[in-house]
Each structure stands twice: as C-alpha cells, then as structure tokens.
C-alpha cells in the first residue's frame, strides 16, 4: 500500500528537524522512494515555509536542538547559506583536474557554491587568488599549490597557515615539522604507489631498474625519493638509477636546478640535457623502467621504439600517474593514484570543518589514500638476453 503523501512529508520533516541539513539522496534512500519524489516533497515543504531548500539539500527552518553551536569561521553564514568554497588548482593540470571534479561532486551535493580559481604557471601565483577569494567572502579553501620547487613550497607555508578559514590541502604533503604540518590534508600515498611499481617488476624477474621521473612537483619529488629508498633496500634489486624524464622536468631553467637523489648509486643523476633512455638501459644492463609522468612515459616509449627497443619485449615499463597511460600504442601498465577520491575526501573533510557539528574543531587530519596498479601488459617476465 502506497504511503500517504502527508505522512511521507511528516517523516521528511522529522528527519530534517532532528539532524539539520540532509541530502535529498539520503532522504530518498531512508524513505525507500525515488529522489524525484523526495525533491518534489521538499519543494512543496519549502514553499509552505516548513523547511529550507538548498542545492540537493533540505534544511530545517531553525537549527535543530543540540550542543552549543561552534563559532562559524570567517566568511561562513551561520544559517549555512554563506559564501562559496574556493577551489584553487594549477591551470592546464589534467592530473589535478580529476581531483577537482571529485571535490566538486561532494560540494554540489551538499548545496555549497563553488568558486574555481586556476593558478597560472608563474611563481607565487596562488596567493593573490586566495586573497581575492577571501575578500569575496569564501567560507573555506581547497587548494593544490603547484609547488614546482622545494623553495616555492616553503615560501607558501606562512601565509597558507594563516588564511583564517578552514583549509584543506589536496594531493600535497608539507614538510614534517613545518608550519603547514598541522593543516588538514588529503594525499595519495606515493611511497606505496612506487612500491607497487617496483614489486611488480621484481615479481617478473627484473633486477636492474631505471626510474625516469620529473622533478617539478611534490609528487615527482616524492616518487624519486621513494624509488631511491625502496630500490636501495630491496634484496632483489641489483642495480638502479634515477634520471630526469625530460629536459624541462625541473623547476629552474634546466637540469642543473634538480636536487640530487639521496642514496643514488654512482653514475646516476640528472646531468643529461635530453634523456636517451635506450642508451641508458644498455649502459646499466637494465631490463625495466618506471616512468613519471604519463606524457613523458609515452614519449619515452616512442623514442625507445625509434631506437629499436620494443616494449615490453626488450624493456618492461610501468608508468606513474595513469591519466593517459592507457592510450598509447602500447597501453602502459601504470600506478593510478586515486585522484577523484582525493578530491572527494578533501571536500568531505572541509564540509566537516564547516558544519559546526561536534568535533568540527577537533584534531588536524592528514589522510593518505593508497594508489593501485593497473596492469595492461607493458611489463612482462624478463627475457634471457638484455637489450
């Protein structure tokens, strides 16, 4: 028997008045009716002045009884209808755009307006954008600074720690002990991602491995350091080296700006202006390579083919990023950081900070999400002869 409309709407009111803001989708699940039906009920109840309606959210006319309200951060309307959440990401950065879309989904479902700011590639580009967002009344901040170098990263620490609104770093992990160490952050566990790549190649019998990686982002620096640590300690890795994946993959004007990799064996480093990966593999007797990021990986695989080195017949390859790794003429096995999930988790953490709920001003959270390995066939068991 179908539930009477008025009874269903009374149940909606009861849930909203007891819990505060509730997603329409959550109400539909709880009442076992369609989202369209609940949305229509919420519209009618809002028209009658019995609740308030936001984008995908139903709110009580008055805040529900409960613990004393937590003072709202700067820019936040206590009624929940204040300024936007600012999202700041680098321009032309497909990796972080997926993170952005993950955050957008969560914020839009919560009825939160979003203000997107794209930071150009110039130095210190994020700060004026954040200042503009705060001046416009932003209630919170989700940000993924470019941080091409360690210096540019540390120059941002002091002002990012003092925005005055809840702030969550996306896919960034500040230096331990820095002023941003105690800032909410959600990041991929790139050490684990690098571990997946190395273990996959070792499981196929590879013992001499090259990492060709960038040095112009926090992710690149973490991958480089992680590879050096993992390869040096691995009992089944006989030889390893780290080189630049492309000549423009460093923060400064050229490879001379790259930081050396701690613990790298003699002969490894960043001294080549343009990487000849085929020659390097021959010199090292290497049978496998980990390549960061995807575009550089695809370019290097093309160059290997031009030099007569076929992937995976002559050299096994694992890419790191998995934005376009699957689109090459040889689809690349790749480490896939959970980009959209990073954005979703960061947005959920920010919403918690903005909610005024019990614990919203609680301890800082530094969340790490594990990448996964997407196996596509660009790596195979090591051949009896090397290239």
């Amino acid at each position: 028997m179908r539930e009477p409309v008025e009874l269903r709407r009374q149940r909606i009111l009861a849930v909203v008045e007891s819990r505060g803001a509730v997603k329409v989708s959550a109400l539909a699940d709880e009442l076992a009716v369609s989202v369209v039906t609940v949305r229509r009920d919420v519209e009618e109840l809002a028209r009658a002045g019995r609740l308030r309606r936001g984008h995908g959210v139903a709110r009580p006319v008055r805040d529900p009884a409960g613990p004393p309200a937590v003072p709202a951060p700067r820019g936040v309307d206590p009624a929940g209808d204040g300024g936007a959440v600012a999202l700041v990401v680098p321009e032309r950065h497909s990796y972080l755009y997926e993170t952005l879309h993950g955050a957008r989904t969560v914020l839009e479902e919560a009825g939160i307006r979003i203000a997107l700011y794209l930071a150009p590639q110039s130095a210190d580009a994020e700060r004026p954008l954040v200042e503009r967002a705060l001046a416009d009344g932003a209630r919170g901040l989700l940000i993924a600074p470019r941080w091409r170098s360690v210096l540019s990263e540390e120059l941002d620490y002091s002002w990012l720690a003092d925005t005055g609104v809840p702030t969550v770093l996306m896919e960034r992990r500040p230096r331990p002990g820095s002023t941003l160490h105690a800032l909410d952050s959600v990041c991929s566990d790139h050490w684990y991602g690098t571990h997946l790549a190395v273990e996959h190649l070792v499981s196929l019998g590879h013992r001499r491995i090259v990492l060709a990686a960038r040095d112009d982002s926090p992710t690149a620096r973490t991958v480089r350091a992680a590879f050096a640590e993992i390869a040096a300690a691995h009992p089944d890795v006989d030889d390893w080296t780290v080189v630049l994946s492309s000549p423009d993959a460093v923060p400064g004007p050229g490879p001379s700006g790259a930081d050396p990799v701690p613990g790298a064996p003699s002969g490894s480093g960043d001294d080549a202006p343009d990487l000849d990966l085929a020659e390097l593999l021959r010199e090292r007797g290497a049978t496998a390579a980990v390549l960061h990021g995807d575009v550089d990986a695809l370019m290097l695989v093309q160059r290997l083919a031009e030099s007569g080195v076929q992937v995976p017949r002559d050299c096994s390859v694992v890419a790191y990023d998995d934005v376009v790794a699957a689109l090459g003429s040889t689809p690349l096995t790749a480490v896939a950081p959970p980009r959209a999930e990073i954005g979703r988790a960061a947005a959920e953490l920010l919403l918690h900070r903005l909610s005024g709920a019990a614990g919203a001003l609680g301890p800082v959270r530094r969340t790490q999400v594990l990448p996964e390995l997407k196996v596509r066939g660009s790596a195979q068991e090591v051949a009896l002869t090397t290239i």
Side-chain angles (χ1 to χ4, degrees):
M1 182 176 176
R2 180 178 296 179
E3 180 181 42
V5 172
E6 188 55 35
L7 178 57
R8 186 177 65 242
R9 291 176 181 175
Q10 288 294 340
R11 291 174 63 198
I12 291 173
L13 286 172
V15 173
V16 172
E17 288 170 0
S18 64
R19 300 182 196 170
V22 183
K23 294 179 183 178
V24 168
S25 57
L27 285 169
D29 289 341
E30 187 161 337
L31 274 61
V33 296
S34 71
V35 172
V36 172
T37 297
V38 174
R39 187 179 296 122
R40 187 184 304 118
D41 289 341
V42 168
E43 289 174 354
E44 289 300 321
L45 290 167
R47 189 175 293 112
R50 301 170 72 183
L51 54 68
R52 292 181 297 136
R53 181 170 63 92
H55 182 70
V57 176
R59 299 186 178 91
V61 175
R62 296 182 181 82
D63 291 335
V70 178
R74 187 178 84 191
V76 177
D77 184 335
D81 297 318
V85 161
L87 283 110
V88 181
V89 296
E91 66 173 348
R92 295 197 293 275
H93 201 304
S94 57
Y95 179 103
L96 288 172
Y97 283 178
E98 291 190 47
T99 302
L100 180 159
H101 287 304
R104 174 186 175 185
T105 299
V106 171
L107 294 172
E108 288 185 343
E109 285 181 357
I112 301 292
R113 188 166 58 86
I114 301 163
L116 175 62
Y117 297 84
L118 298 177
Q121 298 190 39
S122 57
D124 197 28
E126 288 85 5
R127 184 172 185 174
L129 296 179
V130 171
E131 290 174 346
R132 185 190 312 164
L134 295 176
D136 290 342
R139 66 171 77 181
L141 173 64
L142 292 173
I143 184 169
R146 191 180 297 275
W147 285 352
R148 280 178 55 83
S149 68
V150 174
L151 176 60
S152 65
E153 176 180 332
E154 300 210 352
L155 287 174
D156 283 347
Y157 282 179
S158 59
W159 67 265
L160 259 179
D162 191 32
T163 62
V165 299
T167 299
V168 180
L169 286 171
M170 300 187 300
E171 200 61 292
R172 298 291 182 256
R173 182 73 76 223
R175 174 177 54 80
S178 68
T179 55
L180 287 191
H181 191 114
L183 188 72
D184 287 325
S185 61
V186 180
C187 187
S188 298
D189 186 341
H190 294 299
W191 186 97
Y192 181 74
T194 308
H195 162 79
L196 289 177
V198 173
E199 285 298 327
H200 181 62
L201 292 170
V202 168
S203 73
L204 296 172
H206 298 279
R207 300 293 181 263
R208 306 175 76 85
I209 306 172
V210 168
L211 170 70
R214 304 185 70 81
D215 190 33
D216 59 356
S217 74
T219 297
R221 292 189 288 274
T222 301
V223 168
R224 290 159 62 89
F227 180 85
E229 176 188 337
I230 293 165
H234 203 297
D236 293 325
V237 174
D238 297 333
D239 184 83
W240 61 275
T241 188
V242 177
V243 292
L244 285 174
S245 56
S246 72
D248 62 346
V250 292
S256 60
D259 296 327
V261 177
S266 176
S268 64
D270 307 314
D271 51 353
D274 197 358
L275 176 62
D276 184 342
L277 183 56
E279 180 61 27
L280 177 66
L281 293 170
R282 293 188 183 98
E283 288 177 0
R284 309 292 299 199
T287 59
V290 180
L291 306 178
H292 174 272
D294 278 8
V295 173
D296 291 341
L298 293 173
M299 291 296 297
L300 288 171
V301 168
Q302 288 179 201
R303 291 181 193 168
L304 285 176
E306 292 165 1
S307 300
V309 179
Q310 296 299 315
V311 173
R313 184 195 68 190
D314 304 314
C315 176
S316 289
V317 167
V318 176
Y320 199 105
D321 272 359
D322 200 36
V323 177
V324 294
L327 303 181
S329 56
T330 300
L332 301 181
T333 292
V335 176
R339 296 176 295 276
E341 184 57 37
I342 293 296
R344 283 192 288 268
E348 288 168 356
L349 177 52
L350 184 63
L351 289 178
H352 173 69
R353 294 299 188 199
L354 293 169
S355 68
L361 297 182
V364 168
R365 301 183 182 185
R366 290 165 59 86
T367 302
Q368 283 193 308
V369 188
L370 299 187
E372 60 181 336
L373 186 71
K374 300 289 185 67
V375 177
R376 300 193 178 96
S378 63
Q380 65 180 26
E381 290 188 6
V382 66
L384 294 178
T385 58
T386 59
I387 60 173

